[in-house]
Coordinates of all heavy atoms in Angstrom, one line a residue:
M1 N 59.6 -162.4 -158.8 CA 60.4 -162.0 -159.9 C 61.1 -163.2 -160.4 O 61.5 -164.1 -159.7 CB 61.4 -160.9 -159.4 CG 62.4 -160.5 -160.5 SD 63.5 -159.1 -160.2 CE 62.3 -157.8 -160.3
D2 N 61.3 -163.2 -161.8 CA 62.0 -164.3 -162.4 C 63.4 -163.8 -163.0 O 63.5 -162.6 -163.3 CB 61.2 -164.8 -163.6 CG 59.8 -165.3 -163.2 OD1 59.8 -165.9 -162.1 OD2 58.9 -165.1 -163.9
L3 N 64.3 -164.7 -163.0 CA 65.6 -164.4 -163.6 C 65.7 -165.0 -165.0 O 65.4 -166.2 -165.2 CB 66.7 -165.0 -162.7 CG 68.2 -164.9 -163.2 CD1 68.6 -163.4 -163.3 CD2 69.1 -165.6 -162.4
L4 N 66.3 -164.2 -165.9 CA 66.5 -164.7 -167.3 C 67.9 -164.5 -167.6 O 68.5 -163.3 -167.5 CB 65.6 -163.9 -168.2 CG 65.6 -164.2 -169.7 CD1 65.3 -165.7 -169.9 CD2 64.7 -163.3 -170.5
T5 N 68.6 -165.5 -168.1 CA 69.9 -165.4 -168.6 C 69.8 -165.5 -170.1 O 68.9 -166.1 -170.6 CB 70.9 -166.5 -168.1 OG1 70.5 -167.8 -168.7 CG2 70.9 -166.6 -166.6
G6 N 70.6 -164.8 -170.8 CA 70.6 -164.8 -172.3 C 69.5 -163.9 -172.9 O 69.1 -164.1 -174.0
A7 N 69.1 -163.0 -172.1 CA 68.0 -162.1 -172.6 C 68.3 -161.3 -173.8 O 67.4 -160.8 -174.5 CB 67.5 -161.1 -171.4
T8 N 69.6 -161.0 -174.0 CA 70.0 -160.2 -175.2 C 70.2 -161.0 -176.5 O 70.5 -160.5 -177.5 CB 71.3 -159.4 -174.9 OG1 72.4 -160.4 -174.6 CG2 71.1 -158.5 -173.7
G9 N 70.1 -162.3 -176.4 CA 70.2 -163.2 -177.6 C 68.9 -163.4 -178.3 O 67.8 -162.9 -177.9
F10 N 68.9 -164.2 -179.3 CA 67.7 -164.4 -180.1 C 66.6 -165.1 -179.3 O 65.5 -164.5 -179.2 CB 68.1 -165.2 -181.4 CG 66.9 -165.6 -182.2 CD1 66.4 -164.6 -183.1 CD2 66.3 -166.8 -182.1 CE1 65.3 -165.0 -183.9 CE2 65.2 -167.1 -182.9 CZ 64.7 -166.2 -183.8
L11 N 66.9 -166.2 -178.8 CA 65.9 -166.9 -178.0 C 65.5 -166.1 -176.8 O 64.3 -166.0 -176.5 CB 66.5 -168.3 -177.6 CG 65.6 -169.2 -176.7 CD1 64.3 -169.5 -177.4 CD2 66.3 -170.5 -176.3
G12 N 66.5 -165.6 -176.1 CA 66.2 -164.8 -174.8 C 65.3 -163.6 -175.1 O 64.4 -163.3 -174.3
S13 N 65.5 -162.9 -176.1 CA 64.7 -161.7 -176.4 C 63.2 -162.1 -176.7 O 62.3 -161.4 -176.2 CB 65.3 -160.9 -177.6 OG 65.2 -161.6 -178.8
H14 N 63.0 -163.2 -177.4 CA 61.7 -163.7 -177.6 C 61.0 -164.2 -176.4 O 59.8 -163.9 -176.1 CB 61.7 -164.8 -178.7 CG 62.0 -164.2 -180.1 ND1 61.0 -163.6 -180.9 CD2 63.1 -164.2 -180.8 CE1 61.6 -163.2 -182.0 NE2 62.8 -163.5 -182.0
L15 N 61.8 -164.9 -175.5 CA 61.3 -165.4 -174.3 C 60.9 -164.3 -173.3 O 59.9 -164.3 -172.7 CB 62.3 -166.3 -173.6 CG 61.9 -166.9 -172.3 CD1 60.6 -167.7 -172.4 CD2 63.0 -167.8 -171.7
T16 N 61.7 -163.2 -173.4 CA 61.5 -162.0 -172.5 C 60.1 -161.4 -172.9 O 59.3 -161.2 -172.0 CB 62.6 -161.0 -172.7 OG1 63.8 -161.5 -172.3 CG2 62.2 -159.7 -172.0
R17 N 59.8 -161.3 -174.2 CA 58.6 -160.7 -174.6 C 57.4 -161.6 -174.1 O 56.4 -161.1 -173.7 CB 58.5 -160.5 -176.1 CG 59.3 -159.2 -176.5 CD 59.0 -158.8 -177.9 NE 59.5 -159.7 -178.9 CZ 60.8 -159.8 -179.3 NH1 61.7 -158.9 -178.8 NH2 61.2 -160.6 -180.2
R18 N 57.6 -162.9 -174.3 CA 56.5 -163.8 -174.0 C 56.2 -163.8 -172.5 O 55.1 -163.8 -172.0 CB 56.9 -165.2 -174.4 CG 55.8 -166.3 -174.1 CD 54.5 -166.0 -174.9 NE 53.6 -167.0 -174.6 CZ 52.6 -166.9 -173.7 NH1 52.5 -165.8 -173.0 NH2 51.8 -167.9 -173.5
L19 N 57.3 -163.8 -171.7 CA 57.1 -163.8 -170.2 C 56.5 -162.5 -169.7 O 55.6 -162.5 -168.9 CB 58.4 -164.0 -169.5 CG 59.1 -165.4 -169.7 CD1 60.5 -165.4 -169.2 CD2 58.2 -166.5 -169.1
A20 N 56.9 -161.4 -170.4 CA 56.3 -160.1 -170.0 C 54.8 -160.0 -170.3 O 54.0 -159.4 -169.6 CB 57.0 -159.0 -170.7
Q21 N 54.4 -160.7 -171.4 CA 53.0 -160.7 -171.8 C 52.2 -161.4 -170.7 O 51.0 -161.1 -170.6 CB 52.8 -161.5 -173.1 CG 53.2 -160.7 -174.3 CD 53.2 -161.5 -175.6 OE1 52.9 -162.7 -175.6 NE2 53.4 -160.8 -176.7
D22 N 52.8 -162.4 -170.0 CA 52.1 -163.1 -168.9 C 52.2 -162.3 -167.6 O 51.7 -162.8 -166.6 CB 52.8 -164.4 -168.7 CG 52.5 -165.4 -169.8 OD1 51.6 -165.2 -170.6 OD2 53.2 -166.4 -169.9
G23 N 52.7 -161.1 -167.7 CA 52.8 -160.2 -166.5 C 53.9 -160.5 -165.5 O 53.9 -160.1 -164.4
R24 N 54.9 -161.3 -166.0 CA 56.0 -161.6 -165.1 C 57.0 -160.5 -165.1 O 57.3 -159.9 -166.1 CB 56.7 -162.9 -165.7 CG 55.7 -164.1 -165.7 CD 56.4 -165.3 -166.2 NE 57.0 -166.0 -165.1 CZ 56.7 -167.3 -164.8 NH1 55.8 -168.0 -165.6 NH2 57.4 -167.9 -163.9
K25 N 57.5 -160.2 -163.9 CA 58.5 -159.2 -163.6 C 59.9 -159.9 -163.8 O 60.1 -161.0 -163.2 CB 58.4 -158.6 -162.2 CG 59.3 -157.4 -162.0 CD 59.0 -156.8 -160.7 CE 59.9 -155.6 -160.5 NZ 59.7 -155.0 -159.2
L26 N 60.8 -159.3 -164.6 CA 62.0 -160.0 -165.1 C 63.2 -159.2 -164.7 O 63.4 -158.0 -164.8 CB 62.0 -160.1 -166.6 CG 60.8 -160.9 -167.1 CD1 60.8 -160.8 -168.7 CD2 60.9 -162.4 -166.7
R27 N 64.2 -160.0 -164.2 CA 65.5 -159.6 -163.9 C 66.4 -160.3 -164.9 O 66.2 -161.5 -165.1 CB 66.0 -159.9 -162.5 CG 67.4 -159.6 -162.1 CD 67.8 -160.1 -160.8 NE 67.0 -159.5 -159.7 CZ 66.8 -160.0 -158.5 NH1 67.4 -161.1 -158.2 NH2 66.1 -159.4 -157.6
A28 N 67.4 -159.6 -165.5 CA 68.3 -160.3 -166.4 C 69.7 -160.2 -165.9 O 70.2 -159.2 -165.3 CB 68.2 -159.6 -167.8
L29 N 70.4 -161.3 -166.1 CA 71.9 -161.4 -165.8 C 72.5 -161.1 -167.2 O 72.3 -161.8 -168.2 CB 72.3 -162.7 -165.3 CG 73.8 -163.0 -165.1 CD1 74.4 -161.9 -164.2 CD2 74.0 -164.4 -164.6
V30 N 73.3 -160.0 -167.3 CA 73.8 -159.5 -168.5 C 75.3 -159.3 -168.4 O 75.8 -158.8 -167.4 CB 73.2 -158.2 -168.9 CG1 73.7 -157.7 -170.2 CG2 71.7 -158.3 -169.0
R31 N 76.1 -159.8 -169.4 CA 77.5 -159.7 -169.4 C 78.0 -158.2 -169.5 O 77.4 -157.4 -170.3 CB 78.2 -160.4 -170.5 CG 78.2 -161.9 -170.2 CD 79.0 -162.6 -171.4 NE 77.9 -162.9 -172.3 CZ 78.2 -163.3 -173.5 NH1 79.4 -163.4 -174.0 NH2 77.2 -163.6 -174.3
P32 N 79.0 -157.8 -168.7 CA 79.5 -156.4 -168.9 C 80.0 -156.2 -170.3 O 80.5 -157.1 -171.0 CB 80.7 -156.4 -167.9 CG 80.4 -157.5 -166.9 CD 79.7 -158.6 -167.7
G33 N 79.8 -155.0 -170.8 CA 80.1 -154.7 -172.1 C 79.0 -154.9 -173.2 O 79.2 -154.5 -174.3
T34 N 77.9 -155.5 -172.7 CA 76.8 -155.7 -173.6 C 76.2 -154.4 -174.0 O 76.0 -153.5 -173.2 CB 75.7 -156.6 -173.0 OG1 76.3 -157.9 -172.7 CG2 74.5 -156.8 -173.9
D35 N 75.9 -154.2 -175.3 CA 75.3 -153.0 -175.8 C 73.9 -152.8 -175.1 O 73.1 -153.7 -175.2 CB 75.1 -153.1 -177.3 CG 74.5 -151.8 -177.9 OD1 74.0 -150.9 -177.2 OD2 74.6 -151.7 -179.2
L36 N 73.7 -151.7 -174.4 CA 72.5 -151.4 -173.7 C 71.2 -151.5 -174.6 O 70.2 -151.9 -174.1 CB 72.5 -150.1 -173.0 CG 73.5 -149.9 -171.9 CD1 73.5 -148.4 -171.5 CD2 73.3 -150.8 -170.8
K37 N 71.4 -151.3 -175.9 CA 70.3 -151.4 -176.8 C 69.8 -152.8 -177.0 O 68.6 -153.0 -177.4 CB 70.7 -150.8 -178.2 CG 70.9 -149.3 -178.2 CD 71.4 -148.9 -179.5 CE 72.0 -147.4 -179.4 NZ 72.7 -147.1 -180.6
R38 N 70.6 -153.8 -176.6 CA 70.2 -155.2 -176.8 C 69.4 -155.7 -175.6 O 68.8 -156.8 -175.7 CB 71.5 -156.0 -177.0 CG 72.2 -155.7 -178.3 CD 73.3 -156.7 -178.5 NE 72.7 -158.0 -178.7 CZ 73.4 -159.1 -178.7 NH1 74.7 -159.1 -178.6 NH2 72.8 -160.3 -178.9
I39 N 69.3 -154.9 -174.5 CA 68.5 -155.4 -173.4 C 67.1 -155.1 -173.7 O 66.7 -153.9 -173.8 CB 69.0 -154.7 -172.1 CG1 70.5 -155.0 -171.8 CG2 68.1 -155.1 -170.9 CD1 71.1 -154.2 -170.7
P40 N 66.2 -156.1 -173.7 CA 64.8 -155.8 -174.0 C 64.2 -154.9 -173.0 O 64.5 -154.9 -171.8 CB 64.2 -157.2 -173.9 CG 65.3 -158.2 -174.1 CD 66.5 -157.5 -173.5
A41 N 63.3 -154.0 -173.5 CA 62.6 -153.0 -172.6 C 61.8 -153.7 -171.5 O 61.5 -153.1 -170.5 CB 61.7 -152.2 -173.5
E42 N 61.4 -154.9 -171.7 CA 60.6 -155.6 -170.7 C 61.4 -156.0 -169.5 O 60.8 -156.4 -168.5 CB 60.0 -156.9 -171.3 CG 59.0 -156.6 -172.5 CD 59.7 -156.5 -173.8 OE1 60.9 -156.5 -173.9 OE2 58.9 -156.4 -174.8
I43 N 62.7 -156.0 -169.5 CA 63.5 -156.3 -168.4 C 63.4 -155.1 -167.4 O 63.8 -154.0 -167.7 CB 65.0 -156.5 -168.8 CG1 65.1 -157.7 -169.8 CG2 65.9 -156.7 -167.6 CD1 64.7 -159.0 -169.2
S44 N 63.0 -155.4 -166.2 CA 62.9 -154.4 -165.2 C 64.1 -154.2 -164.3 O 64.2 -153.2 -163.6 CB 61.6 -154.6 -164.3 OG 61.7 -155.9 -163.6
E45 N 65.0 -155.2 -164.3 CA 66.2 -155.1 -163.4 C 67.3 -155.9 -164.1 O 67.1 -156.9 -164.7 CB 65.8 -155.7 -162.1 CG 66.8 -155.5 -161.0 CD 66.4 -156.1 -159.7 OE1 65.2 -155.9 -159.3 OE2 67.2 -156.8 -159.1
V46 N 68.5 -155.3 -164.1 CA 69.7 -155.9 -164.7 C 70.7 -156.2 -163.6 O 71.0 -155.3 -162.8 CB 70.3 -155.0 -165.8 CG1 71.6 -155.6 -166.3 CG2 69.3 -154.9 -166.9
V47 N 71.3 -157.3 -163.6 CA 72.5 -157.7 -162.8 C 73.6 -157.8 -163.8 O 73.5 -158.7 -164.7 CB 72.3 -158.9 -161.9 CG1 73.6 -159.3 -161.2 CG2 71.2 -158.7 -160.9
W48 N 74.6 -157.1 -163.6 CA 75.8 -157.1 -164.5 C 76.8 -158.1 -164.0 O 77.2 -158.0 -162.8 CB 76.4 -155.8 -164.7 CG 75.5 -154.8 -165.4 CD1 74.7 -153.8 -164.8 CD2 75.3 -154.6 -166.8 NE1 74.0 -153.1 -165.7 CE2 74.4 -153.6 -166.9 CE3 75.8 -155.2 -167.9 CZ2 74.0 -153.1 -168.2 CZ3 75.4 -154.8 -169.1 CH2 74.5 -153.8 -169.3
G49 N 77.2 -159.0 -164.9 CA 78.3 -160.0 -164.4 C 78.3 -161.2 -165.3 O 77.6 -161.3 -166.3
E50 N 79.2 -162.1 -164.9 CA 79.4 -163.4 -165.6 C 78.8 -164.5 -164.9 O 78.7 -164.5 -163.6 CB 80.9 -163.6 -165.7 CG 81.6 -162.5 -166.5 CD 81.4 -162.5 -168.0 OE1 80.9 -163.5 -168.5 OE2 81.8 -161.5 -168.6
L51 N 78.4 -165.6 -165.6 CA 77.8 -166.8 -165.0 C 78.8 -167.6 -164.2 O 78.4 -168.5 -163.4 CB 77.3 -167.7 -166.1 CG 75.9 -167.3 -166.7 CD1 75.6 -168.1 -167.9 CD2 74.8 -167.6 -165.6
D52 N 80.1 -167.3 -164.3 CA 81.0 -168.1 -163.5 C 81.5 -167.3 -162.2 O 82.4 -167.8 -161.5 CB 82.3 -168.4 -164.3 CG 83.0 -167.2 -164.8 OD1 82.6 -166.1 -164.6 OD2 84.1 -167.4 -165.4
D53 N 80.8 -166.2 -161.8 CA 81.1 -165.4 -160.7 C 80.1 -165.7 -159.6 O 78.9 -165.3 -159.7 CB 81.1 -164.0 -161.0 CG 81.6 -163.1 -159.9 OD1 81.4 -163.4 -158.7 OD2 82.1 -162.0 -160.2
P54 N 80.5 -166.4 -158.5 CA 79.6 -166.8 -157.4 C 78.9 -165.6 -156.8 O 77.7 -165.6 -156.4 CB 80.4 -167.5 -156.4 CG 81.6 -168.0 -157.1 CD 81.8 -166.9 -158.2
E55 N 79.6 -164.4 -156.6 CA 78.9 -163.2 -156.0 C 77.9 -162.7 -157.0 O 76.8 -162.3 -156.5 CB 80.0 -162.2 -155.7 CG 80.9 -162.6 -154.6 CD 82.0 -161.5 -154.3 OE1 81.8 -160.4 -154.8 OE2 82.9 -161.9 -153.6
V56 N 78.1 -162.7 -158.2 CA 77.1 -162.2 -159.2 C 75.9 -163.1 -159.2 O 74.8 -162.6 -159.2 CB 77.8 -162.1 -160.6 CG1 76.7 -161.9 -161.7 CG2 78.8 -161.0 -160.7
L57 N 76.2 -164.4 -159.2 CA 75.1 -165.4 -159.2 C 74.2 -165.2 -157.9 O 73.0 -165.4 -158.0 CB 75.6 -166.8 -159.4 CG 76.2 -167.1 -160.7 CD1 76.8 -168.5 -160.8 CD2 75.2 -166.9 -161.8
A58 N 74.9 -165.0 -156.8 CA 74.1 -164.8 -155.5 C 73.2 -163.6 -155.6 O 72.0 -163.6 -155.2 CB 75.1 -164.7 -154.4
R59 N 73.7 -162.5 -156.2 CA 72.9 -161.3 -156.4 C 71.8 -161.5 -157.4 O 70.6 -161.1 -157.2 CB 73.7 -160.1 -156.9 CG 74.5 -159.4 -155.8 CD 75.1 -158.1 -156.2 NE 75.5 -157.9 -157.6 CZ 76.7 -158.2 -158.0 NH1 77.7 -158.6 -157.2 NH2 77.0 -158.0 -159.3
A60 N 72.1 -162.2 -158.5 CA 71.1 -162.4 -159.5 C 70.0 -163.3 -159.1 O 68.8 -163.1 -159.5 CB 71.8 -163.0 -160.8
T61 N 70.3 -164.3 -158.2 CA 69.2 -165.3 -157.8 C 68.5 -164.9 -156.5 O 67.5 -165.5 -156.2 CB 69.8 -166.7 -157.7 OG1 70.9 -166.6 -156.7 CG2 70.3 -167.2 -159.0
S62 N 69.0 -163.8 -155.9 CA 68.3 -163.4 -154.6 C 66.9 -163.0 -154.9 O 66.6 -162.1 -155.7 CB 69.1 -162.2 -154.0 OG 68.5 -161.8 -152.8
G63 N 66.0 -163.6 -154.2 CA 64.5 -163.2 -154.3 C 63.9 -163.7 -155.6 O 62.8 -163.2 -155.9
I64 N 64.5 -164.6 -156.3 CA 63.9 -165.1 -157.5 C 63.0 -166.3 -157.3 O 63.3 -167.2 -156.5 CB 65.1 -165.5 -158.5 CG1 65.9 -164.2 -158.9 CG2 64.6 -166.3 -159.7 CD1 65.1 -163.2 -159.7
D65 N 61.9 -166.3 -158.0 CA 61.0 -167.5 -158.0 C 61.3 -168.5 -159.0 O 61.2 -169.7 -158.8 CB 59.5 -167.0 -158.2 CG 59.1 -166.0 -157.2 OD1 59.2 -166.3 -156.0 OD2 58.6 -164.9 -157.5
T66 N 61.7 -168.1 -160.2 CA 62.0 -169.0 -161.3 C 63.2 -168.5 -162.1 O 63.3 -167.3 -162.3 CB 60.7 -169.1 -162.3 OG1 59.6 -169.4 -161.5 CG2 61.0 -170.1 -163.4
V67 N 64.0 -169.4 -162.6 CA 65.1 -169.1 -163.4 C 64.9 -169.7 -164.8 O 64.6 -170.8 -165.0 CB 66.5 -169.7 -162.9 CG1 67.6 -169.4 -163.8 CG2 66.8 -169.1 -161.5
F68 N 65.0 -168.8 -165.8 CA 65.0 -169.2 -167.2 C 66.4 -169.0 -167.8 O 66.8 -167.9 -167.9 CB 64.0 -168.3 -168.0 CG 62.6 -168.5 -167.5 CD1 62.0 -167.7 -166.6 CD2 61.8 -169.5 -168.1 CE1 60.7 -167.8 -166.1 CE2 60.4 -169.6 -167.7 CZ 59.9 -168.8 -166.7
H69 N 67.1 -170.1 -168.0 CA 68.5 -170.1 -168.4 C 68.6 -170.4 -169.9 O 68.5 -171.6 -170.2 CB 69.3 -171.1 -167.5 CG 70.7 -171.2 -167.9 ND1 71.5 -170.1 -168.1 CD2 71.5 -172.3 -168.1 CE1 72.7 -170.5 -168.4 NE2 72.7 -171.8 -168.4
V70 N 68.8 -169.4 -170.7 CA 69.0 -169.6 -172.1 C 70.3 -169.1 -172.6 O 70.5 -169.1 -173.8 CB 67.8 -169.1 -172.9 CG1 66.5 -169.8 -172.6 CG2 67.6 -167.6 -172.8
A71 N 71.1 -168.6 -171.7 CA 72.5 -168.2 -172.1 C 73.3 -169.4 -172.5 O 73.3 -170.4 -171.8 CB 73.1 -167.4 -171.0
A72 N 74.1 -169.2 -173.6 CA 75.0 -170.3 -173.9 C 75.9 -169.9 -175.0 O 75.7 -168.9 -175.7 CB 74.2 -171.5 -174.5
R73 N 77.1 -170.5 -175.1 CA 78.0 -170.4 -176.2 C 77.5 -171.3 -177.3 O 77.4 -172.5 -177.1 CB 79.4 -170.8 -175.8 CG 80.4 -170.6 -176.9 CD 81.8 -171.1 -176.5 NE 82.4 -170.3 -175.6 CZ 83.3 -169.3 -175.8 NH1 83.6 -169.1 -177.1 NH2 83.8 -168.5 -174.9
V74 N 77.1 -170.7 -178.4 CA 76.4 -171.5 -179.5 C 77.2 -171.4 -180.8 O 77.0 -172.2 -181.7 CB 75.0 -171.0 -179.7 CG1 74.1 -171.4 -178.5 CG2 74.9 -169.6 -180.0
S75 N 78.0 -170.4 -181.0 CA 78.7 -170.3 -182.2 C 80.0 -169.5 -182.0 O 80.3 -169.0 -180.9 CB 77.9 -169.6 -183.3 OG 77.6 -168.3 -182.9
G76 N 80.7 -169.3 -183.1 CA 81.9 -168.6 -183.0 C 83.1 -169.4 -182.6 O 83.0 -170.6 -182.4
G77 N 84.2 -168.7 -182.4 CA 85.4 -169.4 -182.0 C 85.3 -169.9 -180.6 O 84.5 -169.5 -179.8
G78 N 86.3 -170.8 -180.3 CA 86.3 -171.3 -178.9 C 86.7 -172.7 -178.9 O 86.3 -173.5 -179.8
S79 N 87.4 -173.1 -177.9 CA 87.8 -174.5 -177.8 C 86.7 -175.3 -177.1 O 85.8 -174.7 -176.6 CB 89.1 -174.5 -176.9 OG 88.8 -174.1 -175.6
R80 N 87.0 -176.6 -177.1 CA 86.0 -177.5 -176.4 C 86.0 -177.1 -174.9 O 84.9 -177.1 -174.3 CB 86.5 -178.9 -176.5 CG 85.6 -179.9 -175.8 CD 86.0 -181.3 -176.1 NE 85.3 -182.3 -175.3 CZ 84.2 -182.9 -175.7 NH1 83.7 -182.6 -176.9 NH2 83.5 -183.7 -174.9
A81 N 87.1 -176.7 -174.4 CA 87.1 -176.3 -172.9 C 86.3 -175.0 -172.7 O 85.6 -174.9 -171.7 CB 88.6 -176.1 -172.5
A82 N 86.3 -174.1 -173.7 CA 85.5 -172.9 -173.5 C 84.1 -173.2 -173.6 O 83.3 -172.6 -172.8 CB 85.9 -171.9 -174.6
F83 N 83.7 -174.1 -174.5 CA 82.2 -174.4 -174.6 C 81.8 -175.2 -173.3 O 80.7 -174.9 -172.8 CB 82.0 -175.3 -175.8 CG 81.7 -174.6 -177.1 CD1 82.8 -174.1 -177.8 CD2 80.5 -174.3 -177.5 CE1 82.6 -173.3 -179.0 CE2 80.2 -173.6 -178.7 CZ 81.3 -173.1 -179.4
E84 N 82.7 -176.0 -172.8 CA 82.3 -176.7 -171.5 C 82.2 -175.7 -170.4 O 81.3 -175.8 -169.6 CB 83.4 -177.8 -171.2 CG 83.0 -178.5 -169.9 CD 84.0 -179.7 -169.6 OE1 84.6 -180.2 -170.5 OE2 84.0 -180.0 -168.4
A85 N 83.1 -174.8 -170.3 CA 83.1 -173.8 -169.2 C 81.8 -172.9 -169.3 O 81.1 -172.7 -168.3 CB 84.3 -172.9 -169.3
D86 N 81.5 -172.5 -170.5 CA 80.3 -171.6 -170.7 C 79.0 -172.3 -170.6 O 78.0 -171.8 -170.1 CB 80.4 -170.9 -172.0 CG 81.5 -169.8 -172.0 OD1 82.1 -169.5 -171.0 OD2 81.8 -169.4 -173.1
N87 N 78.9 -173.6 -171.1 CA 77.6 -174.3 -171.2 C 77.4 -175.3 -170.1 O 76.2 -175.6 -169.8 CB 77.5 -174.9 -172.6 CG 77.5 -173.9 -173.7 OD1 77.2 -172.7 -173.5 ND2 77.8 -174.3 -174.9
V88 N 78.4 -175.8 -169.5 CA 78.3 -176.9 -168.5 C 78.6 -176.4 -167.1 O 77.7 -176.4 -166.3 CB 79.1 -178.1 -168.9 CG1 79.0 -179.2 -167.8 CG2 78.8 -178.7 -170.2
R89 N 79.8 -175.9 -166.9 CA 80.2 -175.5 -165.6 C 79.4 -174.2 -165.1 O 79.0 -174.1 -164.0 CB 81.7 -175.3 -165.5 CG 82.4 -176.6 -165.5 CD 83.9 -176.4 -165.1 NE 84.6 -175.5 -165.8 CZ 85.3 -175.7 -166.9 NH1 85.3 -176.9 -167.4 NH2 86.0 -174.8 -167.5
A90 N 79.2 -173.3 -166.1 CA 78.4 -172.1 -165.7 C 77.0 -172.4 -165.4 O 76.4 -171.9 -164.4 CB 78.5 -171.1 -166.8
T91 N 76.4 -173.4 -166.1 CA 75.0 -173.8 -165.8 C 75.0 -174.5 -164.4 O 74.1 -174.2 -163.6 CB 74.5 -174.8 -166.8 OG1 74.5 -174.1 -168.1 CG2 73.1 -175.3 -166.5
G92 N 76.0 -175.3 -164.1 CA 76.0 -175.9 -162.8 C 76.2 -174.9 -161.7 O 75.5 -175.0 -160.6
A93 N 77.0 -173.8 -161.9 CA 77.1 -172.8 -160.9 C 75.8 -172.0 -160.7 O 75.5 -171.7 -159.6 CB 78.2 -171.8 -161.3
L94 N 75.1 -171.8 -161.8 CA 73.8 -171.1 -161.7 C 72.8 -172.0 -160.9 O 72.1 -171.5 -160.0 CB 73.3 -170.8 -163.1 CG 71.9 -170.1 -163.1 CD1 71.8 -168.8 -162.4 CD2 71.4 -170.0 -164.6
L95 N 72.8 -173.2 -161.2 CA 71.9 -174.2 -160.4 C 72.2 -174.1 -158.9 O 71.3 -174.1 -158.1 CB 72.0 -175.6 -161.0 CG 71.4 -175.8 -162.3 CD1 71.7 -177.2 -162.9 CD2 69.9 -175.7 -162.3
D96 N 73.5 -174.2 -158.6 CA 73.9 -174.2 -157.2 C 73.4 -172.9 -156.5 O 72.9 -172.9 -155.4 CB 75.4 -174.3 -157.1 CG 75.9 -175.7 -157.4 OD1 75.1 -176.6 -157.4 OD2 77.2 -175.8 -157.7
A97 N 73.6 -171.7 -157.2 CA 73.2 -170.5 -156.7 C 71.7 -170.4 -156.5 O 71.2 -169.9 -155.5 CB 73.6 -169.3 -157.6
A98 N 70.9 -171.0 -157.4 CA 69.5 -171.0 -157.4 C 69.0 -171.8 -156.2 O 68.1 -171.5 -155.5 CB 68.9 -171.5 -158.7
I99 N 69.7 -172.9 -156.0 CA 69.3 -173.8 -154.8 C 69.6 -173.1 -153.5 O 68.7 -173.2 -152.6 CB 70.1 -175.1 -154.9 CG1 69.6 -175.9 -156.1 CG2 70.0 -175.9 -153.6 CD1 70.5 -177.1 -156.4
R100 N 70.7 -172.4 -153.4 CA 71.0 -171.6 -152.2 C 70.0 -170.5 -152.0 O 69.6 -170.2 -150.9 CB 72.4 -171.0 -152.2 CG 73.5 -172.1 -152.0 CD 74.8 -171.4 -151.7 NE 75.4 -170.9 -152.9 CZ 76.0 -171.6 -153.9 NH1 76.1 -172.9 -153.7 NH2 76.6 -171.1 -154.9

């Protein structure tokens, strides 16, 4: 099974379809409060939570062969610190969890 972050976004939804065409079984890490309609039908398993939560990341990466990380803060409001937290520190936390 593969883990996909950002599956509900533009890039992630297209990547989800492509990976599913290759027969890959997909788990998605999805933020709480996300509209269920945005989760692609090709996702077979959802882990609800945030990229900065070590327990969520441990569940999300358990039994995973490959991680496709396309979640990111790309627009909208937010300080430099918010962009760093979402795009740099959260990615580092995901990498640490994947290694474990």
Side-chain angles (χ1 to χ4, degrees):
M1 178 172 282
D2 298 325
L3 173 65
L4 179 62
T5 69
T8 61
F10 177 78
L11 178 61
S13 64
H14 289 278
L15 180 57
T16 297
R17 282 193 292 280
R18 179 67 177 97
L19 293 171
Q21 287 174 354
D22 289 345
R24 299 179 89 123
K25 189 172 179 183
L26 301 169
R27 175 186 298 161
L29 175 57
V30 179
R31 282 184 271 167
T34 299
D35 183 348
L36 296 175
K37 295 175 191 168
R38 294 189 63 192
I39 300 171
E42 297 87 354
I43 298 295
S44 59
E45 192 176 315
V46 173
V47 173
W48 295 96
E50 302 285 347
L51 276 168
D52 62 356
D53 185 330
E55 291 179 16
V56 168
L57 293 176
R59 282 196 322 271
T61 57
S62 178
I64 292 298
D65 298 311
T66 305
V67 175
F68 295 92
H69 177 49
V70 296
R73 179 184 289 265
V74 294
S75 63
S79 65
R80 180 178 174 91
F83 274 82
E84 182 177 336
D86 291 348
N87 295 339
V88 178
R89 289 196 304 270
T91 298
L94 177 60
L95 288 171
D96 290 342
I99 290 167
R100 281 191 288 282

